[in-house]
Short mmCIF file of all heavy atoms in Angstrom, two decimals:
data_model
loop_
_atom_site.label_atom_id
_atom_site.label_comp_id
_atom_site.label_asym_id
_atom_site.label_seq_id
_atom_site.Cartn_x
_atom_site.Cartn_y
_atom_site.Cartn_z
N TYR A 49 -9.18 -4.05 -7.58
CA TYR A 49 -8.46 -4.10 -6.29
C TYR A 49 -9.39 -4.58 -5.17
O TYR A 49 -9.01 -5.42 -4.36
CB TYR A 49 -7.94 -2.70 -5.88
CG TYR A 49 -6.89 -2.11 -6.80
CD1 TYR A 49 -6.84 -0.74 -7.02
CD2 TYR A 49 -5.94 -2.90 -7.42
CE1 TYR A 49 -5.89 -0.17 -7.86
CE2 TYR A 49 -4.99 -2.35 -8.25
CZ TYR A 49 -4.97 -0.98 -8.47
OH TYR A 49 -4.03 -0.44 -9.29
N LYS A 53 -9.16 -7.77 -2.59
CA LYS A 53 -9.11 -7.58 -1.13
C LYS A 53 -10.14 -8.48 -0.45
O LYS A 53 -9.84 -9.18 0.53
CB LYS A 53 -9.36 -6.10 -0.78
CG LYS A 53 -8.19 -5.19 -1.17
CD LYS A 53 -8.51 -3.70 -1.07
CE LYS A 53 -7.31 -2.89 -1.58
NZ LYS A 53 -7.51 -1.43 -1.56
N LEU A 95 -11.95 0.50 5.17
CA LEU A 95 -11.12 1.00 4.07
C LEU A 95 -12.04 1.71 3.09
O LEU A 95 -13.02 1.12 2.63
CB LEU A 95 -10.43 -0.18 3.41
CG LEU A 95 -9.60 0.15 2.17
CD1 LEU A 95 -8.37 -0.72 2.16
CD2 LEU A 95 -10.37 -0.06 0.89
N VAL A 96 -11.74 2.96 2.81
CA VAL A 96 -12.49 3.69 1.78
C VAL A 96 -11.59 3.73 0.55
O VAL A 96 -10.53 4.38 0.56
CB VAL A 96 -12.84 5.12 2.24
CG1 VAL A 96 -13.68 5.81 1.18
CG2 VAL A 96 -13.57 5.09 3.57
N GLN A 97 -11.98 3.01 -0.48
CA GLN A 97 -11.13 2.89 -1.66
C GLN A 97 -11.00 4.25 -2.35
O GLN A 97 -11.99 4.94 -2.59
CB GLN A 97 -11.72 1.84 -2.62
CG GLN A 97 -10.88 1.55 -3.82
CD GLN A 97 -9.55 0.84 -3.50
OE1 GLN A 97 -9.43 0.14 -2.50
NE2 GLN A 97 -8.56 1.05 -4.34
N MET A 98 -9.77 4.62 -2.68
CA MET A 98 -9.48 5.84 -3.44
C MET A 98 -9.32 5.49 -4.92
O MET A 98 -8.86 4.38 -5.21
CB MET A 98 -8.20 6.49 -2.92
CG MET A 98 -8.24 6.89 -1.47
SD MET A 98 -9.40 8.23 -1.24
CE MET A 98 -10.03 7.84 0.38
N PRO A 99 -9.61 6.34 -5.87
CA PRO A 99 -10.04 7.72 -5.67
C PRO A 99 -11.55 7.81 -5.41
O PRO A 99 -12.30 6.89 -5.72
CB PRO A 99 -9.70 8.36 -7.02
CG PRO A 99 -9.79 7.24 -8.02
CD PRO A 99 -9.40 5.99 -7.29
N ASP A 120 -5.77 1.70 6.50
CA ASP A 120 -4.95 2.28 5.44
C ASP A 120 -3.84 3.19 5.99
O ASP A 120 -2.93 3.57 5.25
CB ASP A 120 -5.83 3.16 4.53
CG ASP A 120 -6.30 2.44 3.29
OD1 ASP A 120 -5.53 1.64 2.74
OD2 ASP A 120 -7.45 2.70 2.87
N PHE A 122 -4.33 6.29 6.72
CA PHE A 122 -4.53 7.59 6.05
C PHE A 122 -5.05 8.68 6.99
O PHE A 122 -5.04 9.85 6.65
CB PHE A 122 -5.53 7.47 4.89
CG PHE A 122 -5.05 6.64 3.71
CD1 PHE A 122 -5.94 6.25 2.72
CD2 PHE A 122 -3.71 6.29 3.57
CE1 PHE A 122 -5.52 5.51 1.63
CE2 PHE A 122 -3.28 5.53 2.48
CZ PHE A 122 -4.19 5.15 1.51
N CYS A 140 -0.41 0.78 3.28
CA CYS A 140 -0.14 -0.63 2.96
C CYS A 140 0.97 -0.81 1.93
O CYS A 140 1.82 -1.70 2.08
CB CYS A 140 -1.41 -1.30 2.48
SG CYS A 140 -2.71 -1.28 3.72
N THR A 141 0.98 -0.03 0.86
CA THR A 141 1.98 -0.26 -0.20
C THR A 141 3.40 0.03 0.31
O THR A 141 4.29 -0.84 0.17
CB THR A 141 1.63 0.55 -1.46
OG1 THR A 141 0.32 0.15 -1.89
CG2 THR A 141 2.63 0.32 -2.57
N ILE A 169 -0.50 8.46 -0.51
CA ILE A 169 -0.70 7.00 -0.39
C ILE A 169 0.62 6.25 -0.46
O ILE A 169 0.83 5.26 0.23
CB ILE A 169 -1.68 6.51 -1.50
CG1 ILE A 169 -3.07 7.11 -1.29
CG2 ILE A 169 -1.74 5.00 -1.54
CD1 ILE A 169 -4.12 6.63 -2.29
N THR A 266 0.51 -5.04 -1.23
CA THR A 266 -0.45 -4.07 -0.68
C THR A 266 -1.58 -4.81 0.04
O THR A 266 -1.95 -4.47 1.17
CB THR A 266 -1.02 -3.21 -1.82
OG1 THR A 266 0.08 -2.57 -2.48
CG2 THR A 266 -1.97 -2.15 -1.31
N1 GUN B 301 -6.20 3.33 -4.00
C1 GUN B 301 -4.98 2.95 -4.45
N2 GUN B 301 -4.26 2.40 -3.44
C2 GUN B 301 -5.05 2.43 -2.34
C3 GUN B 301 -4.85 2.00 -1.00
O1 GUN B 301 -3.81 1.48 -0.58
N3 GUN B 301 -5.91 2.21 -0.16
C4 GUN B 301 -7.07 2.80 -0.57
N4 GUN B 301 -8.04 2.97 0.34
N5 GUN B 301 -7.27 3.21 -1.80
C5 GUN B 301 -6.26 3.02 -2.69
#
Side-chain angles (χ1 to χ4, degrees):
Y49 296 146
K53 289 169 184 179
L95 176 143
V96 183
Q97 185 67 27
M98 299 293 146
D120 264 323
F122 292 168
C140 299
T141 301
I169 295 183
T266 303

